[in-house]
Amino acid sequence: MEAMETARRRLQEKHDADAAAYKQRMEQIEEQRRIEKLQGLERTKSKKQEEPTTSGVLKPDRTKPRLRNNDYNPLMGAGGSSGFRPSSRSIFGQSGRGG
């Protein structure tokens, strides 16, 4: 009976030590993430200070071509294409003459 209790105590101590090591590792990782995040924020702040904008509002770059023209509206209809046309209802390759 006493051997079982010592074995349990030993396993519990090992588990507690592993849990403490894991907790310490997670705290270190979290601290490293926090430091990296702060460094990233400092970099973005320094970039913004280097390039001040005159209007105060950043405008998106229009260097990429647009996919469609400004006058395109999908709700206005087909707009030049023939649209959807269902195929004729033929059965097993027969023509639609009722036979």
Side-chain angles (χ1 to χ4, degrees):
M1 199 65 152
E2 197 172 308
M4 188 181 291
E5 288 181 17
T6 35
R8 284 183 184 159
R9 193 177 320 115
R10 188 173 4 104
L11 287 174
Q12 185 66 42
E13 289 172 358
K14 183 179 182 290
H15 175 72
D16 292 343
D18 290 344
Y22 178 78
K23 183 178 178 183
Q24 186 178 9
R25 229 177 317 140
M26 288 297 118
E27 288 173 354
Q28 288 175 350
I29 290 172
E30 193 64 33
E31 180 68 19
Q32 185 66 30
R33 286 181 185 162
R34 188 182 69 81
I35 290 171
E36 289 174 2
K37 188 175 180 180
L38 287 174
Q39 289 174 349
L41 287 174
E42 289 175 1
R43 274 186 294 226
T44 56
K45 283 182 181 180
S46 66
K47 286 181 182 179
K48 287 183 181 180
Q49 289 174 356
E50 291 173 4
E51 301 174 10
T53 57
T54 56
S55 64
V57 178
L58 296 175
K59 296 180 182 177
D61 293 335
R62 294 290 181 191
T63 57
K64 293 196 298 186
R66 293 188 173 195
L67 296 176
R68 298 199 184 269
N69 295 334
N70 284 339
D71 60 342
Y72 173 75
N73 186 355
L75 301 177
M76 294 300 292
S81 63
S82 62
F84 174 73
R85 297 188 62 128
S87 62
S88 62
R89 298 189 71 179
S90 62
I91 301 173
F92 302 109
Q94 297 176 355
S95 64
R97 298 184 190 189

